[in-house]
Amino acid sequence: MQEHTSRRALATSVLLSAGLIALSLALFDPFFTNDGAVMAMIASGTGVAMRPDEHLVFTNVLVGRVVAALYGRAPDVPWYGLHLVGVQAAAWTGLFHVCLAPGVTLRRVALCVLAYGVVGLAVLVNLQFSSTAFLVAMAGAILWLDQVDGASGGGPRAVGAALLMALGSLERFDPFVLVLAFAGLAGLIVARGRPARRWWVIGACATMLALVSFAYDRQAYREDAGWRAFREFIPLLPEITDYGRADAGEAQLATALQRAGWSENDHRLFMQWFHADPEVYSADALRRLMREVPQTGPVRRIWNGAQRLGRVVDNPALWAMLLALPCLLLGAGRRLRALVGVLLVAALAVTLLLAAFRKAAPQVYLPLFAFPVCVALAASGAPVPGRARWRQPLAIALALAGLAISVAHQHREGSVERVRARVLRDRYAPVTGTPQQLVVAWFNAFPFEVVRPLEPPTRLRSLRLFSLGWSQRTPLARDLLASFGSSDLIDALADPRTVLLAPPVAPPLLARFAEEHRALRLRFSPEQTDPFATFRGRVAGDR
């Protein structure tokens, strides 16, 4: 009987997960962040890459090799976006199974739909590797928590817990670490410090799988000199550009720049994400700069982080999750309510620390607050009859309000991005449809919104893009320049086949950089100003 119930729960979970995601994709429009769009280009061999490549930087090469191989076999299928949707479907199957395992009832199915509506829509519409990694690792963690007393499920559920957590670590390792910490805290609270041996074994297996794959990924990058240098440099970049390291007054900064070997122009370019020259912007130069400037104290940073929390509070997706919680907790005991409260406080604390010392992006803080929602879903029981009868209709009303907020917000976001992508695609067609032309895009001048996660990458096959973002120091960028016969970016900017897509402030900075470091008089002529500004470079005196 128990085996029949488990199979029924699993079948229902698979159908429910597939149905909800299919319905969402029919009604909503998923879109990428800029980082996700660049990773899709790398995997598909379009835009910033000449051929499909497994080095997705933030995602393990094991995943990258599978996706790149799929593009090699069927290049016009959007495999990168599809793989994110696929692993999200696997995650929701696991989450639904924990909720439905005690019995497939209409109430439990409704709670699954509610949880998906306030959490899943946000992760699916804003399709991104970090939030997907959180969701998949979180699904495994919920299955892991279900084993805390050693009496639930059995071997298949334990294996599923370890594999889902490990899969989340492959999508991105950092979310796995946070989920492991949250789930470990929850398990110790639920078991009052004495979890079953099976719980420890599952956690150890998931951690071992994650660490082994993480070490393999690092070794794969170390084996290639170009990628090894990139991996040494890239963690230092956001320390200055994003996280406020090396902030100083004008006089103090001038001294620090001199000791780092940078001019004021070099610093201005770097702060706008230009770092294409590996000699000027070496990892050692960045370290010297950070050593020379005293850092902001932790108290000041936390205060600044608290002021940034206003953006978190303003996010409708967060309010949708919080409004759904009372309904999910209707049948919960005091211990579960206390656990959810602790997890909410932990999510707020981590969000504050991220805002203070790192960037608190929605793809990070929303999954942190989604964790207590999923814990409440997994442990939801039937409401106790006769106890505070007014609570149930109030909780249901709040849940419906949260669901309505989530649906409206995600539909609006997706619709705006769809219209924006269509307009930008038409507007930028002259620079994206000429394979004999190299497009050098300043900072965020290129509209990555044109890269749609579930659309074939066919339109991007004519684009040759050197993006002045995090990908500019990769071997892929070097190979792209070499395909145009250029040894470096400055050399490429002097090529008449290169178009610079940038605001008017950029050409003088680049010209000065060429003069200071190449003794080259590079001059830029405006090619157009509307609907966006482009320039062509040449060496002064050349015709």
Side-chain angles (χ1 to χ4, degrees):
M1 185 66 180
Q2 180 64 34
E3 184 179 353
H4 174 74
T5 302
S6 179
R7 287 180 178 176
R8 185 185 179 197
L10 179 58
T12 305
S13 301
V14 171
L15 292 174
L16 186 60
S17 173
L20 287 172
I21 286 181
L23 180 63
S24 301
L25 293 176
L27 299 176
F28 300 87
D29 296 277
F31 58 90
F32 279 139
T33 61
N34 286 3
D35 289 345
V38 173
M39 292 168 70
M41 287 181 173
I42 292 173
S44 62
T46 58
V48 301
M50 301 293 293
R51 64 193 64 83
D53 196 279
E54 69 267 26
H55 296 91
L56 303 184
V57 180
F58 303 105
T59 295
N60 197 288
V61 292
L62 293 171
V63 175
R65 284 172 182 166
V66 172
V67 178
L70 290 171
Y71 275 113
R73 289 181 176 272
D76 292 327
V77 177
W79 293 112
Y80 181 76
L82 287 174
H83 110 272
L84 291 176
V85 174
V87 296
Q88 287 190 24
W92 282 111
T93 298
L95 287 167
F96 292 160
H97 185 257
V98 178
C99 178
L100 299 176
V104 180
T105 65
L106 182 60
R107 178 180 179 276
R108 290 184 182 278
V109 170
L111 291 178
C112 288
V113 173
L114 172 63
Y116 175 84
V118 297
V119 173
L121 280 182
V123 180
L124 187 70
V125 172
N126 303 274
L127 199 58
Q128 209 264 355
F129 54 95
S130 293
S131 55
T132 299
F134 267 112
L135 178 65
V136 179
M138 191 163 57
I142 298 299
L143 284 167
W144 181 36
L145 283 174
D146 198 44
Q147 305 289 312
V148 72
D149 58 1
S152 301
R157 197 178 296 182
V159 171
L163 290 180
L164 280 172
M165 291 175 72
L167 179 58
S169 76
L170 292 178
E171 291 297 333
R172 191 170 191 178
F173 189 76
D174 295 348
F176 164 79
V177 175
L178 280 173
V179 168
L180 186 68
F182 271 52
L185 172 65
L188 292 173
I189 291 174
V190 170
R192 297 181 178 179
R194 295 182 179 181
R197 181 180 298 178
R198 181 193 296 177
W199 185 82
W200 290 108
V201 171
I202 294 170
C205 288
T207 303
M208 181 186 68
L209 288 171
L211 290 175
V212 168
S213 59
F214 181 77
Y216 180 85
D217 179 75
R218 288 297 182 265
Q219 180 59 32
Y221 279 86
R222 282 194 293 268
E223 289 174 352
D224 184 288
W227 284 108
R228 184 170 63 248
F230 172 78
R231 262 287 164 76
E232 180 187 7
F233 170 84
I234 199 64
L236 302 172
L237 171 65
E239 292 292 329
I240 298 175
T241 57
D242 293 350
Y243 305 151
R245 296 288 301 271
D247 285 342
E250 186 174 344
Q252 192 176 31
L253 180 60
T255 303
L257 292 177
Q258 185 179 13
R259 292 177 180 174
W262 287 6
S263 68
E264 181 184 351
N265 188 68
D266 296 336
H267 181 253
R268 287 186 64 188
L269 283 167
F270 184 80
M271 294 307 293
Q272 296 179 72
W273 279 72
F274 175 89
H275 46 79
D277 191 312
E279 294 182 3
V280 176
Y281 300 109
S282 66
D284 287 339
L286 268 62
R287 293 190 188 100
R288 287 196 300 271
L289 181 63
M290 288 190 287
R291 281 198 303 266
E292 293 295 335
V293 178
Q295 304 307 311
T296 305
V299 175
R300 178 68 177 175
R301 281 179 174 266
I302 291 174
W303 172 249
N304 291 339
Q307 293 179 313
R308 298 188 191 106
L309 289 181
R311 302 175 189 173
V312 177
V313 175
D314 285 342
N315 194 328
L318 175 61
W319 284 103
M321 294 180 195
L322 297 180
L323 287 172
L325 264 178
C327 188
L328 293 167
L329 291 171
L330 271 176
R334 182 177 300 174
R335 189 183 303 176
L336 177 59
R337 292 198 300 271
L339 172 61
V340 168
V342 169
L343 292 174
L344 286 172
V345 171
L348 180 62
V350 173
T351 301
L352 173 60
L353 290 175
L354 287 172
F357 295 95
R358 292 291 188 267
K359 291 191 299 184
Q363 60 264 27
V364 176
Y365 69 75
L366 284 178
L368 293 176
F369 286 97
F371 191 82
V373 174
C374 293
V375 168
L377 171 69
S380 58
V384 179
R387 181 185 294 178
R389 294 180 180 178
W390 57 269
R391 290 182 183 175
Q392 185 168 347
L394 177 61
I396 293 174
L398 291 174
L400 291 175
L403 186 59
I405 289 172
S406 177
V407 170
H409 176 61
Q410 301 308 332
H411 184 268
R412 182 172 59 253
E413 278 210 323
S415 299
V416 167
E417 290 294 328
R418 183 186 69 244
V419 172
R420 178 175 169 80
R422 185 169 60 244
V423 171
L424 290 173
R425 182 178 293 158
D426 294 339
R427 181 179 298 172
Y428 283 80
V431 297
T432 61
T434 310
Q436 295 79 25
Q437 176 176 260
L438 175 65
V439 179
V440 175
W442 175 266
F443 189 32
N444 58 355
F446 181 80
F448 287 102
E449 294 91 337
V450 302
V451 185
R452 304 294 289 172
L454 300 182
E455 288 186 2
T458 311
R459 288 189 179 92
L460 301 172
R461 298 215 173 276
S462 298
L463 174 64
R464 301 291 181 265
L465 175 66
F466 190 99
S467 174
L468 292 174
W470 57 261
S471 64
Q472 66 188 282
R473 289 280 286 274
T474 64
L476 302 174
R478 179 195 61 206
D479 293 344
L480 182 62
L481 293 179
S483 71
F484 281 83
S486 299
S487 58
D488 60 22
L489 181 59
I490 298 301
D491 185 32
L493 287 171
D495 190 320
R497 294 173 297 173
T498 299
V499 59
L500 174 63
L501 182 61
V505 69
L509 297 176
L510 292 171
R512 185 171 178 181
F513 182 91
E515 190 167 352
E516 288 180 349
H517 297 284
R518 299 285 190 279
L520 186 69
R521 296 182 64 197
L522 190 61
R523 296 295 178 261
F524 292 91
S525 302
E527 191 172 51
Q528 66 176 44
T529 57
D530 186 66
F532 51 86
T534 60
F535 302 85
R536 297 276 180 177
R538 63 179 178 83
V539 178
D542 288 355
R543 292 183 179 270

